[in-house]
Amino acid sequence: MKVLVIGSGGREHAICRKLKESPLVDKLLCAPGNAGIAEIAEIVPIKAMELDKITAYAKENAIDLVFVAPDDPLAAGLVDMLEAEGVKAFGPRKNAAIIEGSKAFSKEFMKRHGIPTAGYATFDEYGSARAYIEKAEDFPIVLKADGLALGKGVIICADRDSALKALDDMMLSKVFGGAGSTVVIEEFLTGREMTVLAFTDGKCVRCMPASQDHKKAYDGDKGLNTGGMGAFAPTPVYTAEIERETLENIVYPTIKGLNEEGRTFRGVIYFGLMATPKGVKVIEYNARFGDPETQVVLPLLDSDLMEIVLAVTEERLDSVDIRWKDGAALTVVAASGGYPENVIKGYPITLGEFSSDLILYHAGTAYKDGALVTNGGRVFALTALGKDIADARRKVYAEIDKISFKDMRYRKDIGIK
Ligand code: AMP
Ligand code: GLY
């Protein structure tokens, strides 16, 4: 099969590496990809949001399957466009991807189906949102821009003043553009966070090993939220008991609720969860693989990813056997100095030789005049497989300094907690 992957980050590099292993894949292409992906796939110079161009390319070049990895083209309906042209696509249609594309929708959806989540109120009018914050008694409080905002549209506000400021930024100054026209104001949850990714074709759901992201920019969970600075899997927080509760109260009701509403989900669904003292609650849904969770979960997959992908698109997921390796995986992101605020691109990169149980995923890299240079906030994710998390962590940190570029920064505490 000729398979085209859409996207350009570390997640897409991990997806491409896994698809490349499959005997079902004769030719792998990626649009627009990055310098690492270019080593294993043919690069198609079309950006992820050039939906018409992607659709035309897939049709003209007899692509057998398009794997849509990022959030924006899913929310914008790329899968629907491809299917309308008779091209097979992996990922949810627009009417299911809305569980990530609109936080107001996802909160109301959870309420309708009795799925545990933080208490909330939704506002599309500034005055009433302001009045709500002025009357609020419990802080911190969480403000969320309704739409997609590059993973940055969530602000945890320690007190009333910072909440009012965040509201002004979102609704008046429009720092997240149209994404902030509607704002969800949420109760602050405490507990241990975890990510559960699952393959689903709407009939069957198969969870992957639970992982733990590290969203804050700096060690000790300090600083701004980022796309994710490192991850590991499996997370010990996800015990057998928590797993049972998550499946019963969250995973199954979500898939069922989506079906009942005519929004059957086919693809990878992401459950961002908090194990709180009052049980497991949903922090957010995503309609896709997470980044950097994918860089730890897919290396643990011991089955053919392409076989699973095909089974999902053909609604026969229950017919495939999905196996996972023993042990653990851990990844650390090597980021540009100013990430997530001010990213300077174009710095030359030097790389050493890594041992064989390490995988270097490129995230924001490109070739400029034949030289490898930085091209984004998250530049690499270095993953190790180990017998446990501590072992994998030791391996990554022993070799991460073999990556080198100006102002490179990484967290030193991934997986320590
Ligand atoms: P999101 O972009 O929805 O993943 O949110 C980013 C991060 O903000 C999450 O991973 C959590 O760490 C944090 N967060 C979001 N909502 C809440 C909440 N209601 N309570 C506590 N933390 C939250
Ligand atoms: N790692 C969080 C996300 O992919 O949204």
Side-chain angles (χ1 to χ4, degrees):
M1 296 182 76
K2 267 169 98 171
V3 179
L4 171 64
V5 174
I6 306 301
S8 60
R11 166 183 56 205
E12 287 75 13
H13 196 186
I15 291 167
C16 283
R17 283 206 37 156
K18 207 69 203 176
L19 290 175
K20 188 81 182 171
E21 288 172 12
S22 170
L24 297 166
V25 178
D26 303 310
K27 182 156 190 199
L28 186 64
L29 305 98
C30 185
N34 61 37
I37 293 172
E39 288 169 17
I40 55 171
E42 182 181 320
I43 295 297
V44 178
I46 303 177
K47 296 203 182 88
M49 279 304 278
E50 294 181 312
L51 310 184
D52 289 317
K53 284 194 190 169
I54 292 170
T55 309
Y57 181 91
K59 224 181 145 198
E60 282 158 21
N61 293 276
I63 299 296
D64 295 297
L65 183 130
V66 180
F67 188 126
V68 187
D71 50 358
D72 326 65
L74 289 167
L78 178 56
V79 169
D80 309 56
M81 289 171 67
L82 289 161
E83 287 178 349
E85 293 295 332
V87 180
K88 219 176 232 178
F90 180 79
R93 293 181 187 157
K94 186 176 181 174
N95 75 352
I98 192 173
I99 60 163
E100 170 168 13
S102 166
K103 294 201 191 284
F105 175 89
S106 76
K107 296 299 285 190
E108 278 144 34
F109 171 84
M110 287 185 261
K111 196 187 220 175
R112 282 197 290 281
H113 297 281
I115 296 165
T117 187
Y120 74 102
T122 301
F123 301 93
D124 49 22
E125 197 261 309
Y126 175 77
S128 41
R130 186 172 178 97
Y132 182 88
I133 294 173
E134 274 165 356
K135 272 191 257 132
E137 284 168 7
D138 294 325
F139 291 87
I141 202 169
V142 185
L143 263 68
K144 299 188 171 183
D146 174 55
L148 297 176
L150 299 171
K152 294 175 191 159
V154 172
I155 306 194
I156 296 169
C157 309
D159 51 40
R160 197 179 318 274
D161 283 347
S162 54
L164 289 171
K165 158 120 187 21
L167 182 71
D168 287 0
D169 288 348
M170 280 187 195
M171 293 194 100
L172 301 180
S173 311
K174 299 261 175 227
V175 293
F176 303 119
S181 304
T182 298
V183 168
V184 173
I185 302 182
E186 223 175 72
E187 163 202 10
F188 178 73
L189 298 175
T190 52
R192 293 292 301 266
E193 235 180 298
M194 57 208 171
T195 300
V196 173
L197 295 164
F199 295 106
T200 181
D201 58 3
K203 296 176 178 157
C204 166
V205 52
R206 295 282 186 79
C207 293
M208 307 180 213
S211 52
Q212 164 86 60
D213 188 6
H214 295 66
K215 296 217 192 210
K216 295 281 198 249
Y218 298 104
D219 286 16
D221 292 330
K222 303 254 163 43
L224 290 176
N225 263 328
T226 68
M229 296 296 293
F232 61 82
T235 168
V237 177
Y238 199 65
T239 58
E241 200 184 322
I242 289 198
E243 178 180 16
R244 204 174 326 112
E245 180 188 336
T246 302
L247 290 173
E248 249 171 61
N249 297 349
I250 294 171
V251 175
Y252 300 146
T254 298
I255 302 303
K256 183 163 167 276
L258 286 165
N259 280 333
E260 282 168 9
E261 297 190 9
R263 299 177 184 276
T264 295
F265 194 107
R266 288 179 213 87
V268 169
I269 184 163
Y270 173 121
F271 298 89
L273 305 171
M274 185 83 89
T276 78
K278 290 185 189 158
V280 181
K281 297 192 181 186
V282 177
I283 296 176
E284 63 160 348
Y285 292 120
N286 290 328
R288 52 170 175 85
F289 269 113
D291 189 337
E293 289 94 331
T294 309
Q295 292 92 308
V296 290
V297 169
L298 283 186
L300 290 170
L301 178 62
D302 207 15
S303 299
D304 182 338
L305 177 61
M306 191 61 203
E307 210 173 283
I308 302 169
V309 162
L310 279 178
V312 166
T313 58
E314 292 163 9
E315 292 191 359
R316 49 173 184 78
L317 182 59
D318 61 349
S319 71
V320 297
D321 180 28
I322 304 180
R323 292 175 314 277
W324 300 95
K325 293 176 191 160
D326 293 332
L330 184 135
T331 199
V332 176
V333 168
S336 296
Y339 181 69
E341 287 181 292
N342 306 303
V343 172
I344 300 176
K345 299 181 184 177
Y347 289 138
I349 299 167
T350 54
L351 296 174
E353 287 284 319
F354 295 92
S355 20
S356 62
D357 41 7
L358 289 184
I359 310 171
L360 181 68
Y361 294 116
H362 288 234
T365 63
Y367 282 109
K368 202 170 130 199
D369 306 325
L372 184 64
V373 298
T374 64
N375 193 38
R378 293 187 289 180
V379 182
F380 293 97
L382 183 63
T383 297
L385 290 170
K387 60 183 190 320
D388 54 28
I389 293 161
D391 186 38
R393 185 176 63 229
R394 189 184 48 72
K395 290 179 182 171
V396 172
Y397 283 115
E399 300 197 31
I400 192 162
D401 288 318
K402 291 181 179 174
I403 306 171
S404 156
F405 54 86
K406 187 170 185 308
D407 299 335
M408 167 174 145
R409 186 172 71 70
Y410 56 86
R411 276 184 61 165
K412 299 188 172 60
D413 64 343
I414 303 300
I416 282 182
K417 240 192 337 196

